[in-house]
Amino acid sequence: GGEDTKVLVISKPQHMEIPASGSLAHPRTSLNECSSQEEEMMKHWYKLGAALVAVCLATTAYAQQPELIAQGTQEIQVASTLTGTDFFNLDLTYGYFVRPEVEVKGVGIVTIADQEDLSDQKTYALLAVVDWYILQISTDVMAPYLGVGIGWGRRDFNVGGEDLSELLGTDTDAWTILLEGGVKYFLAPQVALDLAIQYYYAGEEIYTDGAGFSDNKWVIKLALAYLF
């Protein structure tokens, strides 16, 4: 008849394209990015491993002691002190390394204190000392050590150029001990500076610092050593 006929047309759906730069990237792109990140991480681990190996090798080389810190080495040393301005101190030392880390020494010490030309105070000491070198932290130019010693000491007292020790009863003999810690710094294969902090203790008041006598004293020693 006269009725209009309506036709419904259903079109085929079109595929939606998503840009690669969008939030939903192609799976293959994501895999490539992950692989790249893993490679960068591996490179960092390789660099870190190489750095650790280099540090280990450097530490091993750093832990080598000086060539003459060895069994059979002998030493002659002349020393004075960096502490005190009112007295003069002179040390003479002979040492022998019985092992690479152990040195046995004989030490002679003279200390003279002058009090404005009015009094002259002297201390003498002879000690046997054993030093232990810490080779684990030594280098090819430095060798730290700890030491202990025991011996004999004596003091004398003069006034106006006259020896009044016996008259005043001020001359005294006593045993004495030494504790020390120091380091040798090699200027050349056979020549070294020896810097040490020393503590002396005696059974009597035999040590002088320019102001009087005491049974103990602290000393900063600086020595020039020749090893052969």
Side-chain angles (χ1 to χ4, degrees):
E3 295 182 355
D4 294 334
T5 302
K6 295 182 179 180
V7 179
L8 180 62
V9 178
I10 301 176
S11 61
K12 186 178 180 180
Q14 302 293 322
H15 290 288
M16 180 180 296
E17 295 183 359
I18 301 176
S21 60
S23 59
L24 297 176
H26 194 279
R28 182 175 297 176
T29 303
S30 300
L31 292 175
N32 290 338
E33 290 180 354
C34 291
S35 178
S36 178
Q37 291 175 357
E38 291 178 357
E39 290 178 0
E40 288 297 326
M41 186 173 294
M42 291 299 296
K43 289 180 181 180
H44 289 307
W45 281 111
Y46 288 144
K47 291 179 181 179
L48 178 59
L52 290 175
V53 171
V55 169
C56 292
L57 292 176
T59 304
T60 302
Y62 187 81
Q64 301 300 317
Q65 70 266 21
E67 183 178 352
L68 284 181
I69 302 297
Q71 183 174 344
T73 295
Q74 301 177 66
E75 175 186 10
I76 297 176
Q77 187 179 110
V78 179
S80 189
T81 60
L82 300 179
T83 49
T85 58
D86 297 327
F87 64 92
F88 171 76
N89 193 89
L90 177 65
D91 295 12
L92 297 177
T93 299
Y94 170 77
Y96 183 83
F97 283 80
V98 296
R99 293 176 56 86
E101 69 276 13
V102 180
E103 181 184 16
V104 177
K105 303 188 299 187
V107 182
I109 305 171
V110 178
T111 304
I112 302 174
D114 193 354
Q115 291 296 294
E116 299 179 354
D117 297 328
L118 297 178
S119 65
D120 186 23
Q121 307 165 3
K122 298 185 179 72
T123 300
Y124 310 94
L126 292 173
L127 297 100
V129 182
V130 178
D131 287 341
W132 284 270
Y133 285 81
I134 310 172
L135 302 183
Q136 292 83 356
I137 57 175
S138 297
T139 74
D140 57 348
V141 295
M142 289 194 301
Y145 63 88
L146 298 173
V148 60
I150 189 169
W152 164 90
R154 174 186 174 85
R155 78 178 188 197
D156 288 334
F157 186 71
N158 297 304
V159 177
E162 296 185 14
D163 187 359
L164 301 180
S165 300
E166 296 183 3
L167 179 63
L168 300 177
T170 56
D171 60 323
T172 302
D173 296 335
W175 56 266
T176 181
I177 61 172
L178 163 68
L179 300 175
E180 66 177 355
V183 61
K184 275 186 170 64
Y185 181 83
F186 280 78
L187 305 175
Q190 292 182 273
V191 180
L193 290 178
D194 192 330
L195 181 64
I197 298 176
Q198 299 177 318
Y199 175 73
Y200 292 88
Y201 180 81
E204 300 287 347
E205 294 183 345
I206 64 171
Y207 293 117
T208 178
D209 58 4
F213 288 101
S214 174
D215 61 0
N216 69 90
K217 68 175 181 177
W218 288 92
V219 170
I220 299 177
K221 180 194 78 171
L222 179 63
L224 183 64
Y226 176 73
L227 294 91
F228 56 97

